[in-house]
Amino acid sequence: MSRFKWKPPAPDRNVTLCKIEMSLVAWCSLDAGSARMMVVSMSHGELTRFDTLLRVERRELRAEDAATLLGLSRRQVYRLLIRMRADGAPGLVSRRRGRRSNRWLGDGFRDHAIALVREHYHDFGPTLAAEYLAERHDVHISRETLRKLMIEAGLWKDRAARRPRPYQPRYRRDCRGELVQIDGSKHWWFEDRGPQCTLLVYIDDATSELMHLQMVESESTFSYMEATRAYIERHGKPVAFYSDQHSVFRNSRASAARGDGMTHFGRALDALNIEIICANSPQAKGRVERANGTLQDRLVKAMRLEGISSIEGANAFLPGYMVRHNARFARPAFDSRDLHRPLAPHDDLRAIMVWREQRSVTSALTLHYNKAMFILEPTEIARKLVRKRVMVCEYPDGRLEIQHEGHILPYRHFDKMRQVRQPTIVENRHLDAALLLAKEIQAIAPHHRQRNNNAPARHDQPTHLFPEPEVPVKIDGRRLGGAKLKRRPRLSQAELRARGTLEFVKAR
């Protein structure tokens, strides 16, 4: 005869195992009045099963109803009743508890698989590593099992560990003009009415006010120089600009270690005493990122209603749109002060916002810049600059100046292709503008024989490099040796190389 005393489960239902305290009285083995206490660990499901079977035992519940509640068959309920009557509550505990699974691979196999992964596939994912283990090492293991083993060995992180880190919000700056976030948003602003272009957005961090908008072909140094010059002329100089790590703002190449590490735009801002700060992530400059999303919705629809389909029309429309946008979304700053500073008397924006590069002058008073040669006029100042370095300044409007210690040196172009702005290696975001510029140059640039191999050859060009072979000609089955031949109209060297030989025809 058994008497059970059990504790109800803890309020926390997430606990897998609950403990039942029971007192067993064995008349045959224990003295009268003695009792022995034991603790049995049971899961929540086993505890529910035990309670339901006790109700069946007390005839408070039918076996059919208990089978429905437990999700078992009626026969299994009777089996459990027999086991509970014989062994008590411990008879309901799963007999597989404490035993290894029938699919247990063995410690040696597991260690061998992890050793192979650690040696050859330490940076592989579980799925790919399982494929290579089976293909190259004849080690067959499921990807989920390998995933668990790699997590235990520290070679892989589960989904929870690979979640992106949270970005905590920060407070706005106190004053207007203290921090201005800038970014370029490439989008189909004109939908199908015009080309894809980029909108440069300047937004104040303290007020969420759109300070300046300008539509450009691409996000480049010259476009930012023009937009920043217009911004400063209207509002003044802010304390700092907050941008991403675009190459316009930050020089991340190895060449930065050999110089001052500043970009052309950063050097111009340094001359104006404006700080440039690069964000470490897009979330850090979330104010301008959210503004881009709002503009991609509202501005696109506003320009559609106005029928705007060109960059010039958009730039004429944007000032009026900014007034409506700021009236809807801008908010007052915490501090009413405006930290924009006026331009100093020595600040010349048109002279500062330029692309500057140094070049060496040869003994012939020539220098190369942007795939072109420039010849300095032989003035008294220019003659003293042989083997010295001068500054080449390229303005956003295309003008080019050669300076040395404040003096502007007169020059003339030797190369006929005077304007080739796009570099040989073009970033993906600049590809559209580079292709458009290349088409314009090819359409309007003068013919350049050295860069275009299809140009006609000069009449005084030596022909000994391509001798005319003696080609036998057959007419009416007779072989004519040394027949007089003449060449077809003169071809360029490029066409001759392409064809591989000269073509001849019989004179008569």
Side-chain angles (χ1 to χ4, degrees):
M1 180 177 180
S2 301
R3 184 171 69 254
F4 305 101
K5 296 180 181 179
W6 62 284
K7 290 183 179 180
D12 187 5
R13 293 293 185 180
N14 295 326
V15 179
T16 303
L17 296 179
C18 303
K19 290 189 176 181
I20 302 174
E21 183 179 331
M22 66 180 181
S23 172
L24 298 178
V25 181
W27 300 101
C28 59
S29 60
L30 297 178
D31 296 335
S34 65
R36 183 169 56 185
M37 304 292 294
M38 62 179 299
V39 177
V40 178
S41 297
M42 301 182 70
S43 66
H44 177 69
E46 293 168 349
L47 182 60
T48 303
R49 182 176 296 181
F50 176 63
D51 179 65
T52 304
L53 293 177
L54 284 179
R55 294 174 60 189
V56 175
E57 186 71 15
R58 293 193 298 265
R59 299 184 182 279
E60 297 176 0
L61 193 67
R62 297 188 307 166
E64 292 80 0
D65 298 334
T68 303
L69 291 174
L70 298 177
L72 303 174
S73 64
R74 183 172 177 271
R75 181 176 299 181
Q76 181 66 15
V77 170
Y78 282 114
R79 290 196 190 101
L80 294 177
L81 282 172
I82 294 173
R83 192 183 302 171
M84 186 186 69
R85 291 165 184 166
D87 301 330
L92 301 180
V93 177
S94 176
R95 298 181 180 181
R96 295 180 299 175
R97 184 172 300 168
R99 296 173 54 187
R100 288 181 174 176
S101 171
N102 294 332
R103 299 182 180 181
W104 177 255
L105 299 175
D107 294 333
F109 181 85
R110 294 157 63 96
D111 296 341
H112 177 60
I114 287 297
L116 291 175
V117 172
R118 194 185 302 275
E119 181 180 358
H120 303 285
Y121 315 113
H122 60 90
D123 57 343
F124 284 36
T127 302
L128 185 59
E131 294 176 3
Y132 275 97
L133 286 178
E135 178 182 347
R136 304 181 62 180
H137 306 280
D138 198 23
V139 175
H140 299 274
I141 184 173
S142 67
R143 61 184 181 183
E144 293 303 325
T145 302
L146 185 60
R147 189 188 311 274
K148 295 178 181 179
L149 296 180
M150 293 177 65
I151 292 175
E152 294 175 0
L155 300 176
W156 186 254
K157 293 182 179 180
D158 57 357
R159 188 178 299 274
R162 288 185 282 113
R163 289 176 182 170
R165 64 183 180 92
Y167 293 91
Q168 300 295 332
R170 63 171 178 85
Y171 290 105
R172 298 173 178 265
R173 308 309 301 176
D174 295 335
C175 303
R176 184 175 182 264
E178 185 176 358
L179 184 67
V180 177
Q181 298 187 18
I182 59 178
D183 191 26
S185 176
K186 185 176 181 180
H187 187 63
W188 291 97
W189 295 101
F190 309 123
E191 298 172 313
D192 57 350
R193 305 184 307 277
Q196 189 178 23
C197 52
T198 301
L199 178 66
L200 303 184
V201 182
Y202 291 64
I203 184 171
D204 187 75
D205 186 81
T207 62
S208 292
E209 177 185 357
L210 291 180
M211 308 297 291
H212 184 70
L213 295 178
Q214 184 165 335
M215 197 75 70
V216 295
E217 292 180 355
S218 64
E219 195 174 2
S220 63
T221 299
F222 285 123
S223 61
Y224 271 109
M225 284 182 176
E226 290 183 344
T228 304
R229 180 176 60 83
Y231 174 92
I232 295 176
E233 288 176 349
R234 179 180 178 183
H235 302 286
K237 298 187 296 184
V239 177
F241 283 122
Y242 197 42
S243 67
D244 54 14
Q245 299 185 28
H246 193 278
S247 58
V248 174
F249 313 107
R250 181 175 181 269
N251 190 354
S252 58
R253 299 181 179 178
S255 59
R258 298 193 295 269
D260 55 7
M262 300 177 65
T263 63
H264 297 280
F265 183 74
R267 194 175 295 110
L269 293 184
D270 183 67
L272 294 170
N273 195 18
I274 300 176
E275 188 72 20
I276 181 72
I277 305 173
C278 294
N280 193 34
S281 64
Q283 291 81 359
K285 54 183 186 67
R287 217 168 308 284
V288 68
E289 296 289 350
R290 289 190 292 271
N292 289 338
T294 303
L295 292 171
Q296 289 177 6
D297 178 36
R298 289 173 169 257
L299 179 59
V300 169
K301 295 178 174 62
M303 290 193 296
R304 181 202 304 163
L305 296 177
E306 298 294 333
I308 298 174
S309 59
S310 64
I311 293 179
E312 294 77 11
N315 287 329
F317 171 76
L318 288 175
Y321 175 81
M322 283 195 301
V323 175
R324 304 202 312 266
H325 183 95
N326 292 334
R328 172 68 176 82
F329 295 102
R331 55 179 297 175
F334 181 79
D335 193 331
S336 59
R337 292 179 299 167
D338 192 345
L339 298 186
H340 284 99
R341 298 161 293 166
L343 287 171
H346 60 275
D347 290 337
D348 186 1
L349 289 179
R350 296 189 179 275
I352 293 175
M353 295 292 178
V354 295
W355 184 290
R356 299 175 181 272
E357 289 190 15
Q358 289 187 348
R359 290 294 185 269
S360 296
V361 180
T362 65
S363 58
L365 298 183
T366 63
L367 58 95
H368 292 82
Y369 174 75
N370 207 4
K371 300 181 181 179
M373 179 183 290
F374 302 91
I375 303 176
L376 300 179
E377 296 295 337
T379 61
E380 184 178 354
I381 298 177
R383 292 192 185 97
K384 299 178 182 179
L385 299 179
V386 177
R387 306 301 180 188
K388 294 184 180 180
R389 299 181 71 82
V390 295
M391 185 69 68
V392 180
C393 302
E394 186 175 0
Y395 291 85
D397 57 1
R399 291 186 300 113
L400 201 70
E401 286 185 356
I402 301 177
Q403 301 177 1
H404 179 72
E405 296 181 354
H407 299 281
I408 298 177
L409 306 176
Y411 66 91
R412 58 188 174 89
H413 292 277
F414 178 77
D415 199 318
K416 294 182 180 179
M417 289 187 64
R418 302 183 180 183
Q419 305 222 351
V420 184
R421 277 191 195 171
Q422 72 274 18
T424 304
I425 301 176
V426 180
E427 294 184 5
N428 186 28
R429 65 183 69 188
H430 298 160
L431 185 58
D432 296 339
L435 291 175
L436 181 61
L437 182 59
K439 293 178 182 178
E440 294 177 355
I441 290 176
Q442 293 172 3
I444 65 175
H447 198 74
H448 194 286
R449 191 174 59 84
Q450 293 182 354
R451 289 200 179 98
N452 190 344
N453 291 329
N454 293 327
R458 291 165 45 187
H459 292 288
D460 57 348
Q461 186 175 1
T463 58
H464 65 277
L465 298 178
F466 302 95
E468 298 180 1
E470 294 289 339
V471 181
V473 180
K474 288 185 178 181
I475 298 179
D476 297 332
R478 293 180 299 170
R479 184 182 183 89
L480 300 178
K484 217 175 199 185
L485 303 176
K486 72 175 181 179
R487 199 160 26 177
R488 285 183 179 176
R490 187 180 296 273
L491 303 175
S492 65
Q493 290 188 10
E495 293 176 341
L496 296 178
R497 295 191 187 96
R499 298 191 181 187
T501 183
L502 299 177
E503 296 183 359
F504 300 93
V505 294
K506 187 175 180 295
R508 295 187 177 87

